[in-house]
Amino acid sequence: MIDLSKPDIGKKEIKSVIKVLKSGNLVDGYFQSKSENLIKKILNVRYVALTQSCTSALEAASIIIGLKNNDEVLLPSFTFSSTANAIVMRGAKPVFVDVDKKNLNIDIEDLKKKITKKTKAIFLVHYAGLCTQMEEILKLKKKYNLYVIEDAAHAFLSKYKGKYLGTFGDISTFSFHATKNFVGAQGGALVINNRKLIKLSDIVLDKGTDRKRFIQFKFKKLKTSIKKNKIYTWQSIGSEYRASEISSALVYEQIKRKNLIQNKRKKVWNKYISAFNDLNKNYFSFLDFDNKNIKHSYHLFPLILKNVKTANRIIQFLQERKIFATFHYIPLHLSPFGKKFSIKKLLVTENIYKKIVRIPLHSNLTDREVKYIIKNVKVFFNKINKN
């Protein structure tokens, strides 16, 4: 089976992980600090913390902005459960918003209709490394005094009008899960753009303590210690959200190779676009990847089929030929748990989600595999055309 996604692990990643294991220092160390500083430099932000996952970063974000009972949070229904769980775990109510069919990101007009006096935040999801009109979001943020959280799990290195996604809102979260462009096993990152939230962020990430103030890094020996005669105490709620040194070492070496990894993905992407252009519009459509305002991350290659029947048939056809093809999310408002919060219709989301087909995209794909995938996609649609 040709994998949908596959980590691109090189010799330097393996060497650095071995270095961590030999050091005996598996948390709060050299690679955590190096990774965070590297991401800060790339994104040009003040605060970055590596986390165990994007999920844990979202949970931390919900604590940091003070979500509580009776608060409402606007988010797209077309997302993974982690986005909504972070809201529900604080006792707040998720309010599901429809998506724009051009990019599968939150629909601005539907969003405006659902803002109430109880609305405290907007959780954006940058699907496939694309985004909505960020200027409009920031206007709504200012007008209604809302927090904006960017779930940028798909969008590390994506840009909107020359500015990195993840640098627009108060807080953003990234994923370095094994299925993403850059991997840390189950790693993630929390980025704080609102300076007022930085102090609390460190406390929340350290199980509610001010421990970070007293950590002393000894980089040469890959060890840490607590400063002499200093005692840290419980300050707030929090949890064990920080990434391990093993995960941090992976992330650090992966991001150092970002140009190589991204160029490989871009090469595959361009081959798909070139090969499928003659099929586009007749049998399926692409998302708005040609938008001049957006530089996307080459994270996904989704095809939006004309109907559900054809989408199901091509998934089966490709999988029978050992090509991993699949749909994506079941919208949260249609899920058993999601129905507890809303039964309202979201017309675009409900019309489109079953028509999405994802095909393999990762930096380990060989030219032979890419040609095989393209050939079989074309064979499928040629059969349809003859019928």
Side-chain angles (χ1 to χ4, degrees):
M1 184 70 76
I2 300 176
D3 295 318
L4 189 68
S5 61
K6 189 176 183 180
D8 188 336
I9 303 297
K11 292 180 180 179
K12 289 186 177 180
E13 284 88 334
I14 294 169
K15 183 179 179 180
S16 290
V17 168
I18 291 172
K19 187 176 182 181
V20 169
L21 293 172
K22 286 184 175 180
S23 76
N25 186 41
L26 304 182
V27 295
D28 299 328
Y30 171 83
F31 283 109
Q32 182 187 90
S33 180
K34 291 287 282 186
S35 298
E36 290 171 352
N37 287 332
L38 181 58
I39 296 170
K40 280 182 194 177
K41 184 177 180 180
I42 292 170
L43 300 183
N44 191 25
V45 292
R46 280 179 164 268
Y47 181 97
V48 174
L50 281 195
T51 56
Q52 293 178 4
S53 62
C54 187
T55 298
S56 58
L58 285 164
E59 291 174 11
S62 293
I63 297 173
I64 292 164
I65 65 172
L67 284 186
K68 59 184 184 303
N69 289 339
N70 297 319
D71 286 338
E72 293 181 354
V73 178
L74 302 171
L75 74 158
S77 174
F78 189 67
T79 184
F80 194 55
S81 57
S82 295
T83 318
N85 274 332
I87 297 162
V88 174
M89 289 171 71
R90 303 307 317 143
K93 178 185 177 181
V95 177
F96 299 119
V97 181
D98 213 344
V99 293
D100 185 330
K101 65 181 179 181
K102 293 185 297 184
N103 52 39
L104 301 186
N105 279 281
I106 204 162
D107 181 76
I108 298 290
E109 295 308 312
D110 192 40
L111 178 71
K112 290 176 181 177
K113 295 174 186 176
K114 292 177 177 175
I115 296 174
T116 71
K117 291 181 179 179
K118 293 183 178 180
T119 305
K120 186 162 186 175
I122 302 170
F123 275 42
L124 300 178
V125 177
H126 298 314
Y127 185 81
L130 298 173
C131 67
T132 190
Q133 300 170 59
M134 297 307 297
E135 300 95 339
E136 293 299 314
I137 294 294
L138 296 178
K139 285 178 185 177
L140 294 172
K141 167 184 166 56
K142 184 177 181 180
K143 181 177 180 180
Y144 296 102
N145 192 28
L146 304 175
Y147 286 109
V148 171
I149 310 299
E150 296 177 72
D151 180 343
H154 294 181
F156 188 70
L157 300 184
S158 288
K159 290 182 177 180
Y160 179 71
K161 293 188 176 180
K163 184 177 179 180
Y164 284 109
L165 294 184
T167 64
F168 288 87
D170 296 283
I171 300 176
S172 64
T173 65
F174 292 98
S175 176
F176 300 119
H177 186 272
T179 58
K180 300 301 188 292
N181 296 27
F182 310 101
V183 307
Q186 284 189 324
L190 181 76
V191 173
I192 308 295
N193 300 311
N194 184 335
R195 296 182 185 183
K196 296 177 181 178
L197 301 176
I198 290 177
K199 183 177 179 181
L200 179 58
S201 300
D202 275 329
I203 290 172
V204 169
L205 291 170
D206 279 321
K207 296 159 287 238
T209 74
D210 54 355
R211 178 174 176 269
K212 183 71 179 285
R213 291 172 56 198
F214 306 124
I215 290 180
Q216 185 173 348
F217 293 97
K218 299 179 179 179
F219 290 149
K220 291 183 179 179
K221 295 183 179 179
L222 290 182
K223 291 185 178 181
T224 61
S225 64
I226 303 299
K227 294 175 184 176
K228 292 181 180 180
N229 302 318
K230 298 291 183 179
I231 299 173
Y232 62 88
T233 58
W234 187 21
Q235 302 285 329
S236 174
I237 60 172
S239 191
E240 181 60 273
Y241 291 127
R242 293 193 186 275
S244 71
E245 270 295 275
I246 292 174
S247 180
S248 299
L250 284 170
V251 170
Y252 179 64
E253 297 297 350
Q254 288 269 287
I255 295 178
K256 280 177 65 180
R257 294 199 297 122
K258 63 183 175 62
N259 292 338
L260 177 62
I261 291 172
Q262 286 298 85
N263 285 337
K264 287 180 181 178
R265 298 181 76 98
K266 183 178 180 180
K267 183 180 177 182
V268 175
W269 174 274
N270 287 336
K271 286 183 177 181
Y272 283 158
I273 289 291
S274 177
F276 299 147
N277 258 333
D278 58 335
L279 299 174
N280 187 24
K281 295 183 180 178
N282 291 325
Y283 301 105
F284 54 78
S285 60
F286 299 136
L287 295 182
D288 192 21
F289 291 109
D290 285 335
N291 190 319
K292 293 180 180 179
N293 291 323
I294 300 171
K295 178 186 175 184
H296 67 93
S297 55
Y298 305 102
H299 178 55
L300 300 176
F301 197 90
L303 305 174
I304 314 300
L305 276 293
K306 296 295 183 182
N307 58 68
V308 176
K309 182 179 179 181
T310 307
N312 291 336
R313 283 177 61 191
I314 191 173
I315 287 173
Q316 182 179 354
F317 179 87
L318 293 175
Q319 288 190 354
E320 285 173 354
R321 284 149 185 81
K322 305 299 182 184
I323 298 168
F324 198 128
T326 186
F327 67 103
H328 214 158
Y329 313 120
I330 301 295
L332 297 180
H333 77 287
L334 298 179
S335 66
F337 195 60
K339 289 177 181 177
K340 294 182 179 182
F341 303 100
S342 176
I343 57 172
K344 292 183 179 180
K345 292 280 187 179
L346 299 176
L347 297 182
V348 175
T349 301
E350 292 173 30
N351 178 56
I352 208 168
Y353 83 94
K354 289 183 179 180
K355 300 176 186 176
I356 295 170
V357 175
R358 294 183 295 149
I359 60 175
L361 176 61
H362 54 83
S363 53
N364 290 305
L365 284 171
T366 65
D367 289 341
R368 183 178 179 182
E369 287 173 329
V370 173
K371 288 177 182 177
Y372 180 73
I373 293 166
I374 290 170
K375 175 185 174 182
N376 279 281
V377 170
K378 288 191 171 185
V379 166
F380 174 82
F381 287 110
N382 284 334
K383 284 187 176 182
I384 284 184
N385 191 40
K386 289 178 182 178
N387 293 335

